[in-house]
Amino acid sequence: MVVTAPSVEKPASAEELARVLHEAASSKLAVVPVGGRRASKMGDPVERCDVLLHTTRLDRVIEHSQADMVVSVEAGIKLESLQSELAKAGQFLPLDPFNSPGHTIGGLLATGWTGPLRLRFGSPRDYLIGIRVAVPDGRLASGGGRVVKNVSGYDMMKLHYGALGSLGVIVAASFKVFPRPLRDVTVSSQGGWADVDRALSTPIAPSALELFSGGRVLARYTGSPDAVNRVVSELGWRPEDDTVWTEHGGRAPDRWARVAVPRSELRRVLGTFPSGAEWWASPGIGIAHWSVATDASSVREIRSTVEAAGGTLALLAAPDDFTREVGAWGAVPPTLDVQRRLKQAFDPGGVLNPGRFVV
Amino acid sequence: MPIHEVVAEELRRAVGRESVIVSPHDLRIFERDGSIEGAMPDAVVLVSTTQEASEVMKIAARHRIPVVPRGAGTGLSGGAVTIRGGIALQVTRMRRILEIDPVAQTALVEPGVVNQELSLVAAQHGLFYAPDPSSQKACTLGGNAAENSGGPHCLYYGVTTNHVLGMEVVLADGTVRWVSGDAPDRVGLDLCGLLVGSEGTLCAITKIKVRLLRVPPSVATLLAAFPSIEAASHAVSAIIGHGIVPAALEMMDNVTVGAVEAHYQAGYPTDAGAVLLVEVDGIAESTRELMAAITDILAHNQGYAMREAQTPAERELLWAGRKGAIGALGRIKPNYYLHDGVVPRSRLPQVLSAVGEIGEHYKLPVANVFHAGDGNLHPNILFDLRDREVLHQVEAAGEEMLRAVVELGGALSGEHGIGLEKAAFMPWIFTDDDLNAMHRVKDVFDEQGILNPGKIFPDPTRARIHLAGRTGLALEARWW
Amino acid sequence: MTIPFSRLSDDDLATCVHCGLCLDACPTFRVTGLETESPRGRIYLMTQWKRGTLPFDEEQVKHIDLCLGCRTCEGVCPSGVPYGRIIEAGRADVEDQRRPSLKRAASRAALRQLVGHPGRLRAAGVATRAAQKLRLTSVARSGRMLPQLGAPFRAPAGGVAPAAGERKHRVAFLVGCVMPIMYPQSHHAAVRLLQLAGCEVWFPQGERCCGALFAHNGDIEGAERLRDANTRMYQAASFDALIVDSAGCGAHLKDFYPELKGRVKDLTEWLAQVGLPEPKREVRVRVTYQDACHLAHAQKIKKEPRDLIRTLPGVEWVEMRHAEICCGAAGLYSTLEPDMSNRILREKLDDVLATRADVLAVANPGCQMQLEAGLRKRGSTMKVEHVSEVLARGY
């Protein structure tokens, strides 16, 4: 096999991107979509890469209707650019992924990365209302729309969200956005799990709640001022500055594993981690991020514990050799046959991100 | 086409003699759901277990017979109508709540469990199931998941798909699979998300794991009158524009209020051009604060006769009026034809005035009762099915209203599903390429095309639909 | 012979918009899961018969037969479909069309012979009581369902029971056919409560069966004959209200006796209206309540019996799940459709037992018989009492 440097394509429109993708697919060239390169180490190393297909020139806000609280954007727009556009109207997208800044919207949708605010607002799975995707045969296919409630046709948003570009390249998306909360307060404690339980049972639930392996707890309450003030004062924790979230969002370990288990299993599962393991978690959701400092075999050991608890351990970043040794995804899903047929239906030549995802 | 005796025997062996209905006279009773079209199934098969559902599907696959899952049959888009005959797969006997986990705040249910029943049982643990379609007293959770149903409280809490954690499904070949489950961020494609809302065209649902929420300690419900629909629409935009997302924000027009008041005596002001029902929940501090702000906003937008429910009974009565509104319209005319198009919220005044003009043009009474906060319309065209002449008018008016919705940037359906009713309109909002992608999904799950055929996708063999030309209505029209 | 299906009103049938909200309120739908055994399905069937779009099919009459006539569906119907009127008309129409059946004819004849004539049911009661004493009841299936019978209720000499203290009202009291034999203690308690509430209670002489059982079973003509006889008797007297402590009779009198309009009152409705004196005794029992269909749905009375019981000092009230759903008794239904009746009863008993109540309060003799028999079969010691008996515990 002759290894040559992949060609780099930076189309300026969705149509052009679809054409490039189609041409590559016709020539059986392997295509790796590229956004903000924040999650480029996620998944198994690609088997082949002939074309690096950048979405970064697709960076427009297509339409923001302030009154409707709906925004449509091209996939290559950076999350921060979108947030500052929305902020002008007192609105925001409740998405605060790690390894920020620099994520593109397309990348976030393809990888399914989320952050602490998922506790209150859910993931983009819950507020993505429309999507446009380029498929290897050169078609541009849309699903959903620009209205906040819609059951017209299949939910194509769910099909592509978190599919790591395995079925097509996301070129545009529409979201339901949210008004900036009237009050937004963050407090912290060093009380570990006991304080996690306390914060989760306050009369209004926190919008974000993070626990760190050292026992630190960060809780964020948003909503009507009187309610937030009452809850926060009852907790009596240390007030924190907003910047604590910017700092937190910047976290990105070199060897990074994401553990996702049923919420009620998280504490037990984290208890089986090697002593001194560094992690942070969203206990209200059931997700923990682990900065891996052990060898591949102990990661695999933890993975079997996680899978026995009904969860998954996925590598979000690691050197290629390490990823190959551990395997990015773990046990294959029981519906792999159906998923493969879907892959076959959209990407029969297997040109998109070959070998990177489970299908 | 009556079902072949050989197939009937196989079905009886699978589910028991008592659970297979093939008498043509009885089958007639199963020809409709909550919409107005109908078509007879060739057999009704009652299943009690996943295993039985799987056996029935295998038999159907072997003989290439259509299968249409059916719950309570309250759907409003013809989703449960066996338009190409075949088997109506009745899941209403699978009505056990298998598990409620108060710690994890989840429930595992069979598809025939009635929506409201789950919330009633969950209430013992201080929990509730958020999506609350207006038919929640009768509709099943299986139907809700298949249609991705909404409801008044979905404005704040989200629709069914946001609350389904996982499902056990029977695929077209009869194999039983679990998709997703309790843990977030599962590896692989999100089949669960894809299957919720697929209207029985990709699988039959046999178990559902749903998320439950804590019952909010405080709820405040306000009824406000407005001189006109336009004024009420502006008030809706004003509330949302102030950064307030109430738990529910519902509108009823004058016609609806009259019908509702006649049945429920809920104290709705019958002189109003429109009324809004606004609800906020949370803790006492927040509901008090929000309700004060909302009252203020409404007062500045021509709101009058504002009344906050003082007791749980009063609140229930206000909601009973809203949830029973569509049925109450039966007091004006015995039949209604309704669409549930969605527009961007700011387009509400435009679309409602278009709806009014269309009704006037066709001289048909129209009653509006809908989820204003979501921009989700429910214009009910009222008529009497016994009047044959009016059918074409009703159909044309309905189509024009939906057209107006689409022209204002809207979508065909917010919560009822495309079903039979709106399949022909899909090309209005989706290109060939868009539909091609959906077709690929359909083919992956249902190669033989036996799962709820004739739904969602426009039928090329029927170039143009006419209500009266479709089986059920034509049949009913012959009554006179 | 009348024109086929001429009693069914097409306008009544047309009020159904086929929305399906009634389905889960229907006991037979809840246990079968079948559209054909639901109110919407039955209306659809009768509509097609009426309009001639479906031929009359003897086989399909079972769907009409299986209706309990509980009218729970009416309470949840947003379109105001008069289901009770539809099903009674439909049943009468069906009787003209269907093949005669020995079983039905026999039960109808028995009804006319036994209930339609004063004295005969009483005689039957005496015979049953004797049989029970001699332990002969196992010979008759229905005999096992019956409670242990005591001395039947008899009106006081002179036909009047005086008010306790000052007379504020004069009421007529429906003695009826079944209650005085099966549950005389309920009547005794009811009369005592009325007296305590300042009512002079008059027991009309020559009262005949109200006709409810006839109307519910498709014999409208039989019901009309009884109505006319009773109406003549009531019109000859003066009273503020006719008090009924059996929900089935009360509903029928309200619907079927235009001359008594507004004056027929259920016992609980009346007591809630005129008020009872302060109870004298603490009632230390855990009580739940089963709605009688003909009270909750036909007469829309749900709150009064609950409020009256709840205000008794010391009582521990527990609301039963699905209390508004029929127990499967439904008049003659438990005899005519024993299988369905038992399936419905099974679900009902699960809910009843889950309350862990000491006393289950009821408002109709049919419910009482069905629930007593069911509880006994399950080995439960829970008592079934008429609301009047529960209330009388406080005095």
Side-chain angles (χ1 to χ4, degrees), chain B residues 85-410:
Chain B
I87 295 168
L89 187 74
Q90 185 83 48
V91 299
T92 33
R93 246 184 234 170
M94 298 179 72
R95 55 182 296 152
R96 285 179 301 163
I97 295 173
L98 299 169
E99 165 199 305
I100 287 186
D101 183 338
V103 179
Q105 297 186 10
T106 59
L108 179 65
V109 300
E110 291 186 329
V113 170
V114 169
N115 175 297
Q116 193 175 48
E117 186 80 12
L118 176 59
S119 280
L120 287 176
V121 174
Q124 296 164 5
H125 306 282
L127 301 170
F128 75 110
Y129 175 67
D132 60 339
S134 294
S135 54
Q136 73 182 132
K137 274 186 181 163
C139 65
T140 62
L141 290 166
N144 291 174
E147 300 291 320
N148 190 13
S149 304
H153 287 86
C154 291
L155 176 61
Y156 183 84
Y157 289 107
V159 294
T160 302
T161 189
N162 307 118
H163 299 271
V164 173
L165 297 170
M167 300 196 293
E168 181 193 76
V169 298
V170 178
L171 298 179
D173 61 0
T175 58
V176 178
R177 301 302 184 84
W178 257 100
V179 289
S180 293
D182 300 82
D185 290 342
R186 304 179 78 84
V187 164
L189 301 174
D190 180 6
L191 296 188
C192 181
L194 181 66
L195 294 178
V196 171
S198 61
E199 303 190 22
T201 64
L202 302 181
C203 66
I205 299 165
T206 47
K207 284 191 186 74
I208 312 162
K209 185 95 187 224
V210 297
R211 186 201 317 277
L212 300 173
L213 302 178
R214 276 194 279 166
V215 176
S218 168
V219 182
T221 311
L222 177 84
L223 185 76
F226 292 85
S228 65
I229 291 188
E230 284 71 24
S233 307
H234 287 298
V236 168
S237 290
I239 292 175
I240 307 270
H242 275 76
I244 299 171
V245 182
L249 188 39
E250 301 282 304
M251 198 192 298
M252 278 165 275
D253 69 2
N254 178 270
V255 179
T256 311
V257 166
V260 164
E261 195 52 25
H263 183 72
Y264 290 99
Q265 289 98 43
Y268 285 27
T270 48
D271 66 323
V275 302
L276 282 182
L277 194 58
V278 192
E279 186 161 286
V280 293
D281 59 25
I283 59 175
E285 281 84 348
S286 60
T287 54
R288 207 163 36 233
E289 197 174 15
L290 286 174
M291 206 37 105
I294 288 169
T295 311
D296 200 42
I297 294 167
L298 296 184
H300 279 91
N301 283 275
Q302 302 185 56
Y304 68 95
M306 284 186 256
R307 186 160 67 86
E308 198 179 322
Q310 299 301 319
T311 63
E314 268 184 55
R315 171 177 177 253
E316 219 165 273
L317 189 59
L318 287 180
W319 274 111
R322 164 60 188 92
K323 297 211 166 177
I326 289 180
L329 294 172
R331 291 172 177 274
I332 300 171
K333 292 273 181 180
N335 300 90
Y336 53 77
Y337 182 55
L338 89 155
H339 284 307
D340 76 316
V342 202
V343 292
R345 194 165 29 225
S346 59
R347 305 288 170 83
L348 272 179
Q350 282 159 277
V351 78
L352 288 169
S353 81
V355 162
E357 281 164 25
I358 294 164
E360 270 166 39
H361 177 258
Y362 286 94
K363 299 192 173 55
L364 289 166
V366 179
N368 284 289
V369 42
F370 60 100
H371 313 304
D374 297 321
N376 190 182
L377 302 180
H378 290 348
N380 292 264
I381 305 171
L382 308 177
F383 67 105
D384 190 333
L385 202 50
R386 294 173 291 179
D387 175 3
R388 295 179 76 164
E389 298 308 310
V390 84
L391 281 178
H392 299 286
Q393 308 283 89
V394 169
E395 170 192 38
E399 190 173 327
E400 267 185 49
M401 286 174 191
L402 213 45
R403 188 83 215 176
V405 163
V406 170
E407 278 165 7
L408 287 165

Side-chain angles (χ1 to χ4, degrees), chain A residues 2-313:
Chain A
V2 184
V3 179
T4 51
S7 70
V8 174
E9 297 285 350
K10 293 187 172 179
S13 71
E15 288 72 19
E16 191 187 338
L17 185 146
R19 201 161 53 240
V20 171
L21 175 60
H22 181 46
E23 279 163 15
S26 310
S27 319
K28 307 247 180 293
L29 298 175
V31 176
V32 174
V34 183
R37 292 182 169 279
R38 298 286 88 192
S40 52
K41 286 292 181 186
M42 187 186 190
D44 288 314
V46 288
E47 289 158 8
R48 298 178 293 136
C49 174
D50 304 312
V51 180
L52 286 168
L53 184 52
H54 289 251
T55 60
T56 35
R57 285 174 71 198
L58 304 176
D59 61 354
R60 288 179 311 131
V61 172
I62 299 167
E63 186 188 19
H64 173 213
S65 169
Q66 183 182 344
D68 299 325
M69 298 206 299
V70 167
V71 70
S72 301
V73 295
E74 290 186 319
I77 191 173
K78 291 273 178 5
L79 176 62
E80 292 73 23
S81 317
L82 172 57
Q83 296 289 29
S84 62
E85 179 67 29
L86 295 171
K88 291 179 199 161
Q91 297 172 349
F92 78 118
L93 194 68
L95 183 54
D96 52 353
F98 301 108
N99 201 13
S100 280
H103 286 280
T104 60
I105 290 298
L108 286 167
L109 295 180
T111 57
W113 281 21
T114 56
L117 281 175
R118 179 169 173 182
L119 179 59
R120 155 69 184 85
F121 295 93
S123 72
R125 185 185 187 275
D126 300 301
Y127 47 82
L128 172 66
I129 57 174
I131 199 164
R132 195 168 192 221
V133 179
V135 189
D137 69 0
R139 292 174 197 256
L140 280 166
S142 303
R146 289 185 193 175
V147 288
V148 296
K149 193 176 173 195
N150 191 353
V151 294
S152 312
Y154 291 146
D155 195 339
M156 303 302 275
M157 289 71 82
K158 302 286 192 296
L159 185 63
H160 294 287
Y161 179 71
L164 209 59
S166 57
L167 306 177
V169 180
I170 298 169
V171 295
S174 295
F175 296 95
K176 176 161 97 170
V177 297
F178 296 78
R180 285 226 74 96
L182 301 171
R183 186 146 170 80
D184 183 348
V185 177
T186 300
V187 290
S188 73
S189 89
Q190 294 292 332
W193 284 101
D195 274 358
V196 163
D197 291 343
R198 250 191 97 198
L200 282 175
S201 55
T202 47
I204 53 166
S207 291
L209 181 72
E210 298 284 286
L211 170 70
F212 299 83
S213 41
R216 184 167 185 237
V217 181
L218 271 180
R220 184 173 190 175
Y221 288 90
T222 61
S224 96
D226 285 357
V228 169
N229 291 347
R230 180 190 136 189
V231 167
V232 167
S233 79
E234 279 173 10
L235 272 179
W237 293 359
R238 203 183 106 153
E240 293 283 348
D241 207 67
D242 276 1
T243 52
V244 74
W245 295 110
T246 319
E247 184 203 331
H248 186 44
R251 282 173 210 279
D254 295 335
R255 293 181 185 212
W256 182 0
R258 181 188 66 200
V259 169
V261 291
R263 194 167 52 175
S264 48
E265 293 283 343
L266 188 66
R267 185 173 183 176
R268 188 182 64 77
V269 166
L270 284 172
T272 67
F273 276 38
S275 62
E278 264 188 58
W279 50 260
W280 76 91
S282 305
I285 304 167
I287 291 181
H289 294 268
W290 177 24
S291 178
V292 181
T294 57
D295 60 2
S297 70
S298 58
V299 176
R300 284 199 300 262
E301 223 169 275
I302 294 289
R303 174 178 273 157
S304 58
T305 308
V306 169
E307 288 177 351
T312 56
L313 183 153

Side-chain angles (χ1 to χ4, degrees), chain C residues 306-332:
Chain C
R306 287 178 170 79
D307 285 354
L308 287 167
I309 295 171
R310 263 190 294 216
T311 51
L312 284 174
V315 90
E316 189 188 347
W317 168 261
V318 51
E319 180 69 38
M320 186 201 314
R321 275 183 66 204
H322 307 123
E324 75 293 350
I325 301 280
C326 181
C327 65
L332 297 182

Side-chain angles (χ1 to χ4, degrees), chain B residues 25-26 28-34 70 72-73 92-93 95 114 117 121 135 138 263 324 327-328 334 386 479, chain C residues 10-11 14 17-21 23-24 32-35 40 44 48 51 53 55 57 60 63 77-79 321-322:
Chain B
H25 290 168
D26 274 354
R28 272 295 283 285
I29 312 303
F30 292 85
E31 69 183 355
R32 281 176 62 188
D33 58 8
R70 181 180 173 98
T92 33
R93 246 184 234 170
R95 55 182 296 152
V114 169
E117 186 80 12
V121 174
S135 54
H263 183 72
R386 294 173 291 179
W479 288 347
Chain C
D10 195 71
D11 284 341
V17 297
H18 215 262
C19 67
L21 289 197
L23 266 65
D24 208 56
T32 62
L34 285 171
E35 183 80 25
R40 177 173 72 173
Y44 203 62
Q48 312 245 3
R51 297 178 184 174
T53 45
D57 175 352
Q60 287 191 291
H63 307 313
C77 174
S79 311
R321 275 183 66 204
H322 307 123

Side-chain angles (χ1 to χ4, degrees), chain C residues 27-70:
Chain C
T28 57
F29 178 82
R30 289 169 67 93
V31 301
T32 62
L34 285 171
E35 183 80 25
T36 37
E37 315 307 343
S38 76
R40 177 173 72 173
R42 292 183 180 114
I43 290 172
Y44 203 62
L45 176 61
M46 288 186 274
T47 304
Q48 312 245 3
W49 282 343
K50 169 84 183 169
R51 297 178 184 174
T53 45
L54 203 57
F56 179 76
D57 175 352
E58 188 85 22
E59 275 295 298
Q60 287 191 291
V61 175
K62 67 171 184 277
H63 307 313
I64 306 298
D65 284 344
L66 278 178
C67 172
L68 294 145
C70 69

